[in-house]
Short mmCIF file of all heavy atoms in Angstrom, two decimals:
data_model
loop_
_atom_site.label_atom_id
_atom_site.label_comp_id
_atom_site.label_asym_id
_atom_site.label_seq_id
_atom_site.Cartn_x
_atom_site.Cartn_y
_atom_site.Cartn_z
N MET A 746 31.77 65.62 53.82
CA MET A 746 30.62 64.76 53.77
C MET A 746 29.30 65.56 53.99
O MET A 746 28.35 65.40 53.29
CB MET A 746 30.74 63.69 54.89
CG MET A 746 29.70 62.62 54.83
SD MET A 746 29.89 61.55 53.42
CE MET A 746 28.57 60.40 53.71
N SER A 747 29.35 66.50 54.95
CA SER A 747 28.17 67.35 55.21
C SER A 747 27.89 68.25 54.03
O SER A 747 26.75 68.55 53.71
CB SER A 747 28.34 68.13 56.50
OG SER A 747 29.47 69.01 56.40
N SER A 748 28.99 68.76 53.36
CA SER A 748 28.80 69.61 52.23
C SER A 748 28.10 68.84 51.08
O SER A 748 27.25 69.33 50.40
CB SER A 748 30.11 70.13 51.77
OG SER A 748 30.01 70.88 50.57
N SER A 749 28.53 67.59 50.92
CA SER A 749 27.91 66.77 49.90
C SER A 749 26.41 66.50 50.21
O SER A 749 25.54 66.61 49.30
CB SER A 749 28.64 65.41 49.77
OG SER A 749 28.02 64.57 48.86
N SER A 750 26.14 66.25 51.48
CA SER A 750 24.76 66.08 51.84
C SER A 750 23.86 67.30 51.66
O SER A 750 22.73 67.21 51.26
CB SER A 750 24.66 65.63 53.34
OG SER A 750 25.39 64.46 53.59
N SER A 751 24.44 68.43 51.96
CA SER A 751 23.73 69.69 51.77
C SER A 751 23.42 69.90 50.25
O SER A 751 22.30 70.34 49.91
CB SER A 751 24.54 70.88 52.26
OG SER A 751 24.76 70.74 53.66
N ARG A 752 24.41 69.56 49.36
CA ARG A 752 24.15 69.72 47.95
C ARG A 752 23.06 68.76 47.48
O ARG A 752 22.20 69.13 46.66
CB ARG A 752 25.44 69.49 47.15
CG ARG A 752 26.47 70.63 47.28
CD ARG A 752 27.48 70.54 46.23
NE ARG A 752 28.26 69.29 46.35
CZ ARG A 752 29.40 69.20 47.04
NH1 ARG A 752 29.84 70.29 47.67
NH2 ARG A 752 30.04 68.02 47.12
N VAL A 753 23.09 67.55 48.05
CA VAL A 753 22.08 66.57 47.66
C VAL A 753 20.70 67.06 48.11
O VAL A 753 19.70 66.97 47.40
CB VAL A 753 22.43 65.19 48.21
CG1 VAL A 753 21.21 64.21 48.07
CG2 VAL A 753 23.67 64.65 47.56
N ARG A 754 20.65 67.53 49.35
CA ARG A 754 19.36 67.99 49.90
C ARG A 754 18.84 69.20 49.12
O ARG A 754 17.67 69.31 48.82
CB ARG A 754 19.52 68.37 51.38
CG ARG A 754 18.18 68.65 52.07
CD ARG A 754 18.40 68.92 53.54
NE ARG A 754 18.98 67.76 54.25
CZ ARG A 754 20.22 67.72 54.71
NH1 ARG A 754 21.01 68.81 54.56
NH2 ARG A 754 20.66 66.69 55.36
N GLY A 755 19.77 70.10 48.75
CA GLY A 755 19.42 71.28 47.95
C GLY A 755 18.86 70.88 46.57
O GLY A 755 17.90 71.42 46.05
N ALA A 756 19.54 69.89 45.97
CA ALA A 756 19.05 69.41 44.69
C ALA A 756 17.69 68.74 44.77
O ALA A 756 16.83 68.88 43.93
CB ALA A 756 20.10 68.39 44.14
N GLU A 757 17.44 68.02 45.88
CA GLU A 757 16.12 67.42 46.07
C GLU A 757 15.07 68.45 46.25
O GLU A 757 13.91 68.29 45.76
CB GLU A 757 16.20 66.48 47.31
CG GLU A 757 17.05 65.25 47.09
CD GLU A 757 17.13 64.39 48.36
OE1 GLU A 757 16.70 64.92 49.43
OE2 GLU A 757 17.58 63.28 48.30
N ILE A 758 15.34 69.52 46.98
CA ILE A 758 14.37 70.62 47.19
C ILE A 758 14.07 71.31 45.82
O ILE A 758 12.92 71.54 45.52
CB ILE A 758 14.93 71.65 48.20
CG1 ILE A 758 15.00 70.99 49.61
CG2 ILE A 758 14.01 72.89 48.21
CD1 ILE A 758 15.63 71.92 50.59
N ILE A 759 15.12 71.56 45.02
CA ILE A 759 14.89 72.16 43.74
C ILE A 759 14.08 71.27 42.85
O ILE A 759 13.18 71.66 42.13
CB ILE A 759 16.25 72.58 43.14
CG1 ILE A 759 16.90 73.68 43.89
CG2 ILE A 759 16.04 72.98 41.65
CD1 ILE A 759 18.28 74.05 43.38
N GLU A 760 14.38 69.95 42.92
CA GLU A 760 13.64 68.96 42.13
C GLU A 760 12.14 68.95 42.51
O GLU A 760 11.28 68.91 41.69
CB GLU A 760 14.25 67.57 42.29
CG GLU A 760 13.53 66.46 41.55
CD GLU A 760 13.74 66.60 40.05
OE1 GLU A 760 14.71 67.22 39.65
OE2 GLU A 760 12.85 66.07 39.33
N LEU A 761 11.91 69.03 43.85
CA LEU A 761 10.50 69.06 44.29
C LEU A 761 9.78 70.38 43.85
O LEU A 761 8.67 70.27 43.32
CB LEU A 761 10.48 68.97 45.84
CG LEU A 761 9.14 69.15 46.49
CD1 LEU A 761 8.16 68.05 46.04
CD2 LEU A 761 9.18 69.24 48.02
N LEU A 762 10.49 71.50 44.03
CA LEU A 762 9.83 72.79 43.65
C LEU A 762 9.55 72.82 42.18
O LEU A 762 8.54 73.44 41.75
CB LEU A 762 10.78 73.95 44.04
CG LEU A 762 10.89 74.23 45.55
CD1 LEU A 762 11.94 75.35 45.78
CD2 LEU A 762 9.57 74.56 46.16
N GLY A 763 10.38 72.26 41.33
CA GLY A 763 10.19 72.28 39.90
C GLY A 763 9.36 71.11 39.35
O GLY A 763 9.19 71.02 38.15
N SER A 764 8.87 70.26 40.23
CA SER A 764 8.14 69.12 39.75
C SER A 764 6.71 69.39 39.34
O SER A 764 6.10 70.38 39.83
CB SER A 764 8.16 68.02 40.81
OG SER A 764 7.41 68.44 41.96
N MET A 765 6.21 68.57 38.54
CA MET A 765 4.81 68.72 38.04
C MET A 765 3.82 68.58 39.17
O MET A 765 2.84 69.32 39.31
CB MET A 765 4.53 67.72 36.93
CG MET A 765 3.09 67.74 36.40
SD MET A 765 2.78 69.07 35.26
CE MET A 765 3.71 68.52 33.86
N ARG A 766 4.02 67.56 40.05
CA ARG A 766 3.06 67.27 41.11
C ARG A 766 3.01 68.46 42.04
O ARG A 766 1.94 68.80 42.61
CB ARG A 766 3.45 66.00 41.84
CG ARG A 766 4.78 66.03 42.55
CD ARG A 766 5.04 64.68 43.25
NE ARG A 766 6.26 64.66 43.99
CZ ARG A 766 7.47 64.46 43.48
NH1 ARG A 766 7.60 64.17 42.20
NH2 ARG A 766 8.54 64.47 44.24
N PHE A 767 4.15 69.15 42.38
CA PHE A 767 4.13 70.31 43.22
C PHE A 767 3.35 71.46 42.65
O PHE A 767 2.52 72.08 43.28
CB PHE A 767 5.56 70.73 43.54
CG PHE A 767 5.66 71.85 44.58
CD1 PHE A 767 5.36 71.59 45.91
CD2 PHE A 767 6.02 73.11 44.19
CE1 PHE A 767 5.45 72.63 46.85
CE2 PHE A 767 6.10 74.14 45.12
CZ PHE A 767 5.84 73.90 46.43
N ALA A 768 3.57 71.70 41.33
CA ALA A 768 2.85 72.80 40.68
C ALA A 768 1.33 72.54 40.60
O ALA A 768 0.53 73.41 40.86
CB ALA A 768 3.41 72.96 39.26
N ILE A 769 0.99 71.26 40.37
CA ILE A 769 -0.43 70.97 40.33
C ILE A 769 -1.10 71.09 41.70
O ILE A 769 -2.21 71.57 41.82
CB ILE A 769 -0.66 69.45 39.79
CG1 ILE A 769 -0.29 69.42 38.30
CG2 ILE A 769 -2.09 69.02 40.00
CD1 ILE A 769 -0.33 68.08 37.71
N SER A 770 -0.35 70.70 42.76
CA SER A 770 -0.89 70.88 44.09
C SER A 770 -1.10 72.36 44.41
O SER A 770 -2.15 72.73 44.98
CB SER A 770 0.05 70.32 45.12
OG SER A 770 0.31 68.93 44.89
N LEU A 771 -0.18 73.23 43.98
CA LEU A 771 -0.39 74.66 44.19
C LEU A 771 -1.60 75.22 43.43
O LEU A 771 -2.37 76.01 43.88
CB LEU A 771 0.89 75.42 43.75
CG LEU A 771 2.12 75.17 44.57
CD1 LEU A 771 3.33 75.91 43.94
CD2 LEU A 771 1.94 75.61 46.01
N LEU A 772 -1.74 74.70 42.18
CA LEU A 772 -2.88 75.11 41.37
C LEU A 772 -4.22 74.69 41.99
O LEU A 772 -5.21 75.42 41.92
CB LEU A 772 -2.73 74.58 39.96
CG LEU A 772 -1.72 75.27 39.06
CD1 LEU A 772 -1.53 74.52 37.75
CD2 LEU A 772 -2.08 76.71 38.79
N VAL A 773 -4.22 73.53 42.62
CA VAL A 773 -5.40 73.07 43.31
C VAL A 773 -5.80 74.04 44.41
O VAL A 773 -6.96 74.40 44.63
CB VAL A 773 -5.27 71.66 43.81
CG1 VAL A 773 -6.43 71.25 44.71
CG2 VAL A 773 -5.19 70.63 42.64
N PHE A 774 -4.80 74.40 45.25
CA PHE A 774 -5.04 75.34 46.35
C PHE A 774 -5.56 76.68 45.81
O PHE A 774 -6.46 77.26 46.36
CB PHE A 774 -3.76 75.56 47.16
CG PHE A 774 -3.52 74.51 48.15
CD1 PHE A 774 -2.49 73.61 47.99
CD2 PHE A 774 -4.32 74.35 49.27
CE1 PHE A 774 -2.19 72.60 48.96
CE2 PHE A 774 -4.09 73.34 50.24
CZ PHE A 774 -3.01 72.50 50.04
N ILE A 775 -4.95 77.16 44.67
CA ILE A 775 -5.37 78.46 44.13
C ILE A 775 -6.83 78.31 43.62
O ILE A 775 -7.64 79.28 43.76
CB ILE A 775 -4.40 78.86 43.04
CG1 ILE A 775 -3.07 79.27 43.63
CG2 ILE A 775 -4.96 80.03 42.21
CD1 ILE A 775 -2.00 79.65 42.65
N CYS A 776 -7.16 77.21 43.00
CA CYS A 776 -8.54 77.02 42.51
C CYS A 776 -9.54 76.99 43.64
O CYS A 776 -10.61 77.63 43.54
CB CYS A 776 -8.63 75.72 41.70
SG CYS A 776 -7.80 75.76 40.11
N VAL A 777 -9.18 76.31 44.73
CA VAL A 777 -10.08 76.29 45.91
C VAL A 777 -10.24 77.69 46.50
O VAL A 777 -11.33 78.13 46.80
CB VAL A 777 -9.59 75.33 46.94
CG1 VAL A 777 -10.33 75.41 48.27
CG2 VAL A 777 -9.58 73.90 46.48
N ALA A 778 -9.12 78.41 46.62
CA ALA A 778 -9.19 79.79 47.13
C ALA A 778 -10.04 80.69 46.24
O ALA A 778 -10.82 81.51 46.70
CB ALA A 778 -7.76 80.36 47.30
N SER A 779 -9.86 80.55 44.91
CA SER A 779 -10.60 81.35 43.97
C SER A 779 -12.11 81.04 44.06
O SER A 779 -12.93 81.90 43.92
CB SER A 779 -10.08 81.14 42.54
OG SER A 779 -8.76 81.46 42.43
N LEU A 780 -12.39 79.74 44.27
CA LEU A 780 -13.79 79.33 44.45
C LEU A 780 -14.37 80.03 45.66
O LEU A 780 -15.50 80.56 45.65
CB LEU A 780 -13.89 77.85 44.55
CG LEU A 780 -15.31 77.27 44.74
CD1 LEU A 780 -16.17 77.59 43.51
CD2 LEU A 780 -15.28 75.73 44.95
N ILE A 781 -13.65 79.99 46.79
CA ILE A 781 -14.13 80.68 48.01
C ILE A 781 -14.30 82.20 47.76
O ILE A 781 -15.30 82.77 48.17
CB ILE A 781 -13.15 80.41 49.16
CG1 ILE A 781 -13.11 78.97 49.53
CG2 ILE A 781 -13.57 81.25 50.38
CD1 ILE A 781 -12.03 78.57 50.54
N GLY A 782 -13.33 82.79 47.10
CA GLY A 782 -13.42 84.19 46.84
C GLY A 782 -14.50 84.60 45.92
O GLY A 782 -15.01 85.78 45.96
N THR A 783 -14.96 83.66 45.06
CA THR A 783 -16.06 83.97 44.15
C THR A 783 -17.40 83.78 44.85
O THR A 783 -18.29 84.59 44.65
CB THR A 783 -15.97 83.02 42.93
OG1 THR A 783 -14.72 83.16 42.24
CG2 THR A 783 -17.09 83.29 41.96
N VAL A 784 -17.52 82.73 45.65
CA VAL A 784 -18.85 82.45 46.28
C VAL A 784 -19.03 83.40 47.47
O VAL A 784 -20.18 83.87 47.66
CB VAL A 784 -18.85 80.97 46.75
CG1 VAL A 784 -20.12 80.67 47.60
CG2 VAL A 784 -18.79 80.03 45.53
N LEU A 785 -18.02 83.64 48.25
CA LEU A 785 -18.13 84.49 49.45
C LEU A 785 -17.79 85.91 49.09
O LEU A 785 -16.72 86.21 48.67
CB LEU A 785 -17.18 83.95 50.53
CG LEU A 785 -17.22 84.68 51.88
CD1 LEU A 785 -18.58 84.41 52.55
CD2 LEU A 785 -16.10 84.26 52.77
N PRO A 786 -18.77 86.82 49.31
CA PRO A 786 -18.49 88.25 49.07
C PRO A 786 -17.28 88.72 49.87
O PRO A 786 -17.20 88.44 51.08
CB PRO A 786 -19.75 88.98 49.48
CG PRO A 786 -20.81 87.91 49.39
CD PRO A 786 -20.15 86.61 49.73
N GLN A 787 -16.37 89.46 49.24
CA GLN A 787 -15.14 89.83 49.88
C GLN A 787 -15.21 91.26 50.46
O GLN A 787 -16.00 92.11 49.96
CB GLN A 787 -13.98 89.77 48.87
CG GLN A 787 -13.75 88.34 48.37
CD GLN A 787 -13.13 87.43 49.40
OE1 GLN A 787 -11.96 87.61 49.75
NE2 GLN A 787 -13.92 86.49 49.83
N ASN A 788 -14.38 91.52 51.50
CA ASN A 788 -14.21 92.85 52.03
C ASN A 788 -15.50 93.45 52.52
O ASN A 788 -15.75 94.65 52.39
CB ASN A 788 -13.53 93.77 50.98
CG ASN A 788 -12.21 93.20 50.53
OD1 ASN A 788 -11.39 92.84 51.30
ND2 ASN A 788 -12.00 93.20 49.20
N GLN A 789 -16.36 92.69 53.15
CA GLN A 789 -17.59 93.17 53.77
C GLN A 789 -17.34 93.56 55.23
O GLN A 789 -16.26 93.24 55.81
CB GLN A 789 -18.70 92.11 53.65
CG GLN A 789 -19.01 91.71 52.24
CD GLN A 789 -19.60 92.75 51.43
OE1 GLN A 789 -20.61 93.40 51.81
NE2 GLN A 789 -19.03 93.02 50.25
N ALA A 790 -18.31 94.16 55.83
CA ALA A 790 -18.23 94.50 57.24
C ALA A 790 -18.12 93.20 58.10
O ALA A 790 -18.70 92.19 57.75
CB ALA A 790 -19.36 95.36 57.71
N THR A 791 -17.37 93.33 59.19
CA THR A 791 -17.18 92.16 60.08
C THR A 791 -18.51 91.60 60.57
O THR A 791 -18.71 90.30 60.57
CB THR A 791 -16.30 92.54 61.28
OG1 THR A 791 -15.03 93.00 60.79
CG2 THR A 791 -16.10 91.35 62.19
N ASN A 792 -19.42 92.43 60.88
CA ASN A 792 -20.76 91.98 61.39
C ASN A 792 -21.49 91.14 60.37
O ASN A 792 -22.26 90.25 60.78
CB ASN A 792 -21.59 93.18 61.85
CG ASN A 792 -21.09 93.83 63.11
OD1 ASN A 792 -20.47 93.19 63.91
ND2 ASN A 792 -21.39 95.10 63.26
#
């Protein structure tokens, strides 16, 4: 029974990782990060 549940849970995780909504969410984060990296000068002195 536990083996079957693990397989189901694994399939659900794989389904989530390969889903369109998950990929779009990642792309949104990357776009926001790229926007920050473009507007804010990178690798400057701490001061």
Side-chain angles (χ1 to χ4, degrees):
M746 189 69 177
S747 61
S748 177
S749 175
S750 300
S751 298
R752 286 197 298 270
V753 171
R754 190 177 297 108
E757 290 176 348
I758 292 175
I759 292 176
E760 178 68 23
L761 173 63
L762 291 176
S764 65
M765 177 78 72
R766 64 180 183 275
F767 185 71
I769 291 177
S770 300
L771 294 175
L772 286 173
V773 169
F774 278 111
I775 290 177
C776 289
V777 172
S779 300
L780 180 64
I781 295 173
T783 301
V784 174
L785 182 67
Q787 298 288 289
N788 302 311
Q789 302 293 308
T791 300
N792 288 335

